[in-house]
Amino acid sequence: MKVAIVHEWFSGIGGSEKVVKVFHDIYPEAPVYVLIHDKHKMPEEYNNMDIRTSYLQKIPFANKIYQNLLPFMPGAVERYDLSEYDLVLSSSTCCAKGVITKSDTLHICYCHTPMRYGWDLYFDYLKGKNKFMQWIIASQMKNIRIWDRLSADKVDYFIANSNNVARRILKNYRRESRVIYPPVDTDFYTPSNKDDNFYLIVSRLVSYKKVDIAIEAFNKLGLPLIIIGRGPEYKKYKKLIKSNIKLLGHLSDSEVREYYRRCKAFIFPGEEDFGITPVEAQACGRPVIAYGKGGTLETIIEGKTGIFFYKQDAESLIEAIQKFEKSSDDFDKDFIRKYAEKFSVNRFKNEIISFIEEKIYEFKNL
């Protein structure tokens, strides 16, 4: 059986890239089709894959401006010739699911989310743009949204990374999906006996992650907070923080793991489709204080592995932190760790293999 893997782009490591890595572990001979490949931002294990890029790779500075190439991505994806493959696995947050396959090729899409800036985050995407840019974006996004909806019909079977995303797949595409939670490396992220008194955030520093809410809250509380990550908001946040907050930038996975292991609790102020970092923190035995919306409702047990706050503002977060300060001894490290193991890589791999085998049989007997 000839297999191809399709992903949007290789421009850094996130949860979706880790899904691709497991797909490739299952099918090591499969080529990986991506729109853009920035080899300087990808680990060697990814760069060693048989990576096949789109024509967008040839555009000058494509690795830096790829997000501005959205209007060209549907056409680029449809130019992949996948006619020789029996099975296509797409890992999609945007356009990867839109590949064209033959009638006898099985296409399974692992959907991390429907295109968020085309649907539920559309108006957030427009914020901060001038009137002319809003008009340009609106005129282009209308056609992209139509393509996105129609491209869902090219998928034979959908997998959603959470019940949260499954609901959006049903709403936006009118398609059913099977929920298989993404892989978390619980063999790597493990507890230790080291304890410290700081709170922790691990995040890309972009506006929708709402790290500014945590900065405002900890500026008022005066409690120690460590923020790990880089992004376009880094310089802005650097100016906002007081002396109790440290902004460390990018760190290696091993360094991040040490901070997970030692922190008092992990802070997660954004809304995510699933949210890998809260599970990584729990795998290290640490409780999570999270915004109670989106994927966190499926990965955190209130009062057992974490605490929720339900208004996405500093005051609500402060109340949750103060509640945690009074009850921190009630959280059991071993219980939290055991709970996180249900999101392991091996569990994900086994569920994916089982799903593929089931759908191959079903597809052949339609």
Side-chain angles (χ1 to χ4, degrees), residues 44-207:
E44 185 177 355
E45 60 187 348
Y46 287 84
N47 290 332
N48 288 337
M49 296 175 183
D50 177 6
I51 297 174
R52 305 182 186 184
T53 58
S54 73
Y55 76 87
L56 299 181
Q57 184 77 45
K58 298 177 182 179
I59 296 175
F61 309 109
N63 289 344
K64 295 183 179 180
I65 65 168
Y66 68 91
Q67 290 181 325
N68 296 322
L69 301 177
L70 177 61
F72 304 99
M73 290 180 184
V77 163
E78 290 182 343
R79 287 179 65 174
Y80 297 147
D81 182 2
L82 305 179
S83 57
E84 64 181 289
Y85 300 105
D86 304 299
L87 169 65
V88 172
L89 298 173
S90 62
S91 161
S92 188
T93 61
C94 177
C95 300
K97 72 181 184 309
V99 292
I100 296 173
T101 59
K102 295 193 306 180
S103 61
D104 57 352
T105 298
L106 172 60
H107 178 188
I108 295 174
C109 174
Y110 190 93
C111 185
H112 306 275
T113 175
M115 189 187 298
R116 298 199 71 176
Y117 32 84
W119 301 101
D120 58 317
L121 289 185
Y122 172 63
F123 293 102
D124 290 335
Y125 184 57
L126 291 179
K127 286 179 183 177
K129 306 289 193 303
N130 60 47
K131 294 291 184 181
F132 178 72
M133 282 303 300
Q134 288 184 2
W135 180 82
I136 292 291
I137 291 170
S139 60
Q140 292 179 341
M141 197 60 74
K142 177 182 177 181
N143 291 328
I144 291 172
R145 197 179 292 112
I146 292 170
W147 177 87
D148 185 54
R149 171 61 187 86
L150 292 174
S151 71
D153 293 338
K154 300 175 185 177
V155 176
D156 295 303
Y157 301 100
F158 273 102
I159 302 172
N161 75 348
S162 63
N163 290 299
N164 178 41
V165 166
R167 285 190 291 270
R168 294 215 302 273
I169 291 172
L170 182 60
K171 179 176 176 61
N172 295 327
Y173 302 149
R174 304 303 178 190
R175 296 290 302 276
E176 298 290 341
S177 57
R178 176 86 58 85
V179 175
I180 299 179
Y181 291 126
V184 177
D185 194 349
T186 54
D187 292 332
F188 178 80
Y189 293 104
T190 57
S192 74
N193 294 323
K194 300 175 183 177
D195 295 306
D196 216 321
N197 200 41
F198 63 85
Y199 290 84
L200 178 67
I201 290 176
V202 178
S203 175
R204 283 185 294 121
L205 303 184
V206 293
S207 59

Side-chain angles (χ1 to χ4, degrees), residues 265-276:
F266 187 75
I267 306 296
F268 195 74
E271 178 189 350
E272 289 285 357
D273 308 306
F274 176 77
I276 293 286

